[in-house]
mmCIF file of all heavy atoms in Angstrom:
data_model
loop_
_atom_site.group_PDB
_atom_site.id
_atom_site.type_symbol
_atom_site.label_atom_id
_atom_site.label_comp_id
_atom_site.label_asym_id
_atom_site.label_seq_id
_atom_site.Cartn_x
_atom_site.Cartn_y
_atom_site.Cartn_z
ATOM 1 N N VAL A 480 102.555 72.889 118.328
ATOM 2 C CA VAL A 480 101.931 72.201 117.193
ATOM 3 C C VAL A 480 100.946 73.154 116.520
ATOM 4 O O VAL A 480 100.254 73.928 117.197
ATOM 5 C CB VAL A 480 101.197 70.923 117.659
ATOM 6 C CG1 VAL A 480 100.332 70.354 116.543
ATOM 7 C CG2 VAL A 480 102.195 69.883 118.149
ATOM 8 N N LEU A 481 100.886 73.092 115.193
ATOM 9 C CA LEU A 481 99.879 73.820 114.425
ATOM 10 C C LEU A 481 98.973 72.813 113.711
ATOM 11 O O LEU A 481 99.456 71.822 113.162
ATOM 12 C CB LEU A 481 100.527 74.722 113.371
ATOM 13 C CG LEU A 481 101.529 75.772 113.842
ATOM 14 C CD1 LEU A 481 102.023 76.576 112.638
ATOM 15 C CD2 LEU A 481 100.921 76.684 114.886
ATOM 16 N N VAL A 482 97.688 73.084 113.731
ATOM 17 C CA VAL A 482 96.731 72.341 112.915
ATOM 18 C C VAL A 482 96.026 73.349 112.014
ATOM 19 O O VAL A 482 95.481 74.347 112.499
ATOM 20 C CB VAL A 482 95.698 71.579 113.773
ATOM 21 C CG1 VAL A 482 94.664 70.901 112.879
ATOM 22 C CG2 VAL A 482 96.395 70.524 114.638
ATOM 23 N N LYS A 483 96.074 73.108 110.701
ATOM 24 C CA LYS A 483 95.494 74.033 109.727
ATOM 25 C C LYS A 483 94.314 73.380 109.022
ATOM 26 O O LYS A 483 94.384 72.211 108.631
ATOM 27 C CB LYS A 483 96.535 74.431 108.682
ATOM 28 C CG LYS A 483 97.797 75.059 109.227
ATOM 29 C CD LYS A 483 98.792 75.315 108.101
ATOM 30 C CE LYS A 483 100.116 75.822 108.629
ATOM 31 N NZ LYS A 483 101.096 76.023 107.517
ATOM 32 N N LEU A 484 93.250 74.154 108.844
ATOM 33 C CA LEU A 484 92.107 73.728 108.038
ATOM 34 C C LEU A 484 92.023 74.641 106.832
ATOM 35 O O LEU A 484 91.918 75.860 106.963
ATOM 36 C CB LEU A 484 90.809 73.803 108.850
ATOM 37 C CG LEU A 484 89.540 73.420 108.080
ATOM 38 C CD1 LEU A 484 89.518 71.926 107.777
ATOM 39 C CD2 LEU A 484 88.291 73.819 108.864
ATOM 40 N N PHE A 485 92.068 74.044 105.634
ATOM 41 C CA PHE A 485 92.012 74.822 104.404
ATOM 42 C C PHE A 485 90.560 74.977 103.941
ATOM 43 O O PHE A 485 89.661 74.256 104.395
ATOM 44 C CB PHE A 485 92.857 74.156 103.317
ATOM 45 C CG PHE A 485 94.329 74.140 103.643
ATOM 46 C CD1 PHE A 485 94.884 73.083 104.348
ATOM 47 C CD2 PHE A 485 95.147 75.193 103.273
ATOM 48 C CE1 PHE A 485 96.225 73.064 104.666
ATOM 49 C CE2 PHE A 485 96.499 75.189 103.580
ATOM 50 C CZ PHE A 485 97.043 74.126 104.283
ATOM 51 N N GLU A 486 90.344 75.906 103.019
ATOM 52 C CA GLU A 486 88.980 76.222 102.603
ATOM 53 C C GLU A 486 88.282 75.049 101.921
ATOM 54 O O GLU A 486 87.063 75.008 101.850
ATOM 55 C CB GLU A 486 88.986 77.431 101.670
ATOM 56 C CG GLU A 486 89.802 77.237 100.408
ATOM 57 C CD GLU A 486 89.770 78.461 99.513
ATOM 58 O OE1 GLU A 486 88.718 79.135 99.502
ATOM 59 O OE2 GLU A 486 90.769 78.743 98.841
ATOM 60 N N ASP A 487 89.058 74.053 101.425
ATOM 61 C CA ASP A 487 88.440 72.880 100.799
ATOM 62 C C ASP A 487 88.149 71.773 101.804
ATOM 63 O O ASP A 487 87.694 70.689 101.432
ATOM 64 C CB ASP A 487 89.317 72.341 99.678
ATOM 65 C CG ASP A 487 90.675 71.863 100.159
ATOM 66 O OD1 ASP A 487 90.974 72.007 101.372
ATOM 67 O OD2 ASP A 487 91.446 71.332 99.332
ATOM 68 N N GLY A 488 88.423 72.028 103.086
ATOM 69 C CA GLY A 488 88.145 71.051 104.121
ATOM 70 C C GLY A 488 89.302 70.127 104.447
ATOM 71 O O GLY A 488 89.195 69.301 105.355
ATOM 72 N N SER A 489 90.409 70.243 103.752
ATOM 73 C CA SER A 489 91.559 69.401 104.039
ATOM 74 C C SER A 489 92.310 69.932 105.255
ATOM 75 O O SER A 489 92.224 71.121 105.588
ATOM 76 C CB SER A 489 92.487 69.308 102.828
ATOM 77 O OG SER A 489 92.947 70.580 102.438
ATOM 78 N N VAL A 490 93.043 69.040 105.904
ATOM 79 C CA VAL A 490 93.654 69.354 107.192
ATOM 80 C C VAL A 490 95.154 69.087 107.128
ATOM 81 O O VAL A 490 95.604 68.087 106.553
ATOM 82 C CB VAL A 490 93.029 68.509 108.324
ATOM 83 C CG1 VAL A 490 93.689 68.830 109.665
ATOM 84 C CG2 VAL A 490 91.527 68.756 108.400
ATOM 85 N N ASN A 491 95.912 69.963 107.748
ATOM 86 C CA ASN A 491 97.362 69.829 107.832
ATOM 87 C C ASN A 491 97.783 69.864 109.289
ATOM 88 O O ASN A 491 97.321 70.702 110.060
ATOM 89 C CB ASN A 491 98.046 70.957 107.047
ATOM 90 C CG ASN A 491 99.536 71.023 107.273
ATOM 91 O OD1 ASN A 491 99.996 71.620 108.237
ATOM 92 N ND2 ASN A 491 100.287 70.396 106.397
ATOM 93 N N LEU A 492 98.677 68.949 109.656
ATOM 94 C CA LEU A 492 99.250 68.899 110.999
ATOM 95 C C LEU A 492 100.732 69.208 110.888
ATOM 96 O O LEU A 492 101.450 68.565 110.128
ATOM 97 C CB LEU A 492 99.029 67.517 111.617
ATOM 98 C CG LEU A 492 99.810 67.180 112.893
ATOM 99 C CD1 LEU A 492 99.428 68.122 114.033
ATOM 100 C CD2 LEU A 492 99.558 65.732 113.295
ATOM 101 N N ASN A 493 101.194 70.189 111.660
ATOM 102 C CA ASN A 493 102.580 70.641 111.592
ATOM 103 C C ASN A 493 103.209 70.510 112.973
ATOM 104 O O ASN A 493 102.788 71.158 113.928
ATOM 105 C CB ASN A 493 102.615 72.102 111.112
ATOM 106 C CG ASN A 493 104.019 72.642 110.991
ATOM 107 O OD1 ASN A 493 104.711 72.859 111.977
ATOM 108 N ND2 ASN A 493 104.440 72.893 109.756
ATOM 109 N N MET A 494 104.242 69.639 113.079
ATOM 110 C CA MET A 494 104.918 69.427 114.364
ATOM 111 C C MET A 494 106.377 69.075 114.112
ATOM 112 O O MET A 494 106.738 68.514 113.083
ATOM 113 C CB MET A 494 104.236 68.299 115.152
ATOM 114 C CG MET A 494 104.282 66.954 114.470
ATOM 115 S SD MET A 494 103.517 65.640 115.439
ATOM 116 C CE MET A 494 103.845 64.217 114.371
ATOM 117 N N GLY A 495 107.223 69.374 115.063
ATOM 118 C CA GLY A 495 108.645 69.135 114.893
ATOM 119 C C GLY A 495 109.110 67.770 115.317
ATOM 120 O O GLY A 495 110.266 67.404 115.090
ATOM 121 N N ALA A 496 108.235 66.971 115.936
ATOM 122 C CA ALA A 496 108.643 65.682 116.481
ATOM 123 C C ALA A 496 109.022 64.698 115.390
ATOM 124 O O ALA A 496 108.431 64.678 114.314
ATOM 125 C CB ALA A 496 107.524 65.095 117.340
ATOM 126 N N SER A 497 110.003 63.867 115.690
ATOM 127 C CA SER A 497 110.400 62.792 114.788
ATOM 128 C C SER A 497 109.552 61.550 115.074
ATOM 129 O O SER A 497 109.274 61.238 116.227
ATOM 130 C CB SER A 497 111.877 62.442 114.986
ATOM 131 O OG SER A 497 112.708 63.536 114.696
ATOM 132 N N ASP A 498 109.163 60.864 114.002
ATOM 133 C CA ASP A 498 108.534 59.548 114.137
ATOM 134 C C ASP A 498 109.655 58.535 113.979
ATOM 135 O O ASP A 498 110.137 58.280 112.871
ATOM 136 C CB ASP A 498 107.457 59.345 113.074
ATOM 137 C CG ASP A 498 106.664 58.061 113.292
ATOM 138 O OD1 ASP A 498 107.238 57.091 113.814
ATOM 139 O OD2 ASP A 498 105.478 58.022 112.923
ATOM 140 N N ILE A 499 110.086 57.929 115.063
ATOM 141 C CA ILE A 499 111.256 57.051 115.030
ATOM 142 C C ILE A 499 110.877 55.602 114.731
ATOM 143 O O ILE A 499 111.613 54.667 115.071
ATOM 144 C CB ILE A 499 112.056 57.159 116.338
ATOM 145 C CG1 ILE A 499 111.195 56.785 117.546
ATOM 146 C CG2 ILE A 499 112.589 58.560 116.507
ATOM 147 C CD1 ILE A 499 111.971 56.792 118.865
ATOM 148 N N GLY A 500 109.724 55.449 114.075
ATOM 149 C CA GLY A 500 109.245 54.115 113.743
ATOM 150 C C GLY A 500 108.196 53.597 114.697
ATOM 151 O O GLY A 500 107.744 52.456 114.599
ATOM 152 N N THR A 501 107.784 54.448 115.635
ATOM 153 C CA THR A 501 106.868 54.032 116.690
ATOM 154 C C THR A 501 105.408 54.394 116.408
ATOM 155 O O THR A 501 104.546 54.149 117.248
ATOM 156 C CB THR A 501 107.284 54.676 118.016
ATOM 157 O OG1 THR A 501 107.377 56.093 117.837
ATOM 158 C CG2 THR A 501 108.641 54.161 118.463
ATOM 159 N N GLY A 502 105.133 55.009 115.267
ATOM 160 C CA GLY A 502 103.758 55.351 114.927
ATOM 161 C C GLY A 502 103.311 56.711 115.412
ATOM 162 O O GLY A 502 102.100 56.975 115.507
ATOM 163 N N THR A 503 104.252 57.590 115.704
ATOM 164 C CA THR A 503 103.897 58.923 116.211
ATOM 165 C C THR A 503 102.954 59.659 115.268
ATOM 166 O O THR A 503 101.948 60.242 115.697
ATOM 167 C CB THR A 503 105.172 59.758 116.427
ATOM 168 O OG1 THR A 503 105.970 59.134 117.434
ATOM 169 C CG2 THR A 503 104.838 61.180 116.836
ATOM 170 N N LYS A 504 103.284 59.672 113.983
ATOM 171 C CA LYS A 504 102.430 60.393 113.025
ATOM 172 C C LYS A 504 101.014 59.827 113.020
ATOM 173 O O LYS A 504 100.036 60.577 112.925
ATOM 174 C CB LYS A 504 103.051 60.315 111.628
ATOM 175 C CG LYS A 504 104.303 61.146 111.448
ATOM 176 C CD LYS A 504 104.745 61.196 110.005
ATOM 177 C CE LYS A 504 105.364 59.902 109.565
ATOM 178 N NZ LYS A 504 105.904 59.965 108.190
ATOM 179 N N THR A 505 100.905 58.518 113.123
ATOM 180 C CA THR A 505 99.579 57.888 113.103
ATOM 181 C C THR A 505 98.754 58.319 114.306
ATOM 182 O O THR A 505 97.581 58.691 114.173
ATOM 183 C CB THR A 505 99.736 56.362 113.091
ATOM 184 O OG1 THR A 505 100.462 55.974 111.926
ATOM 185 C CG2 THR A 505 98.372 55.676 113.091
#
Side-chain angles (χ1 to χ4, degrees):
V480 169
L481 303 181
V482 176
K483 303 176 185 178
L484 178 70
F485 295 89
E486 60 180 327
D487 62 357
S489 59
V490 179
N491 170 276
L492 167 62
N493 181 290
M494 62 178 183
S497 298
D498 187 329
I499 59 176
T501 54
T503 297
K504 288 189 286 185
T505 300

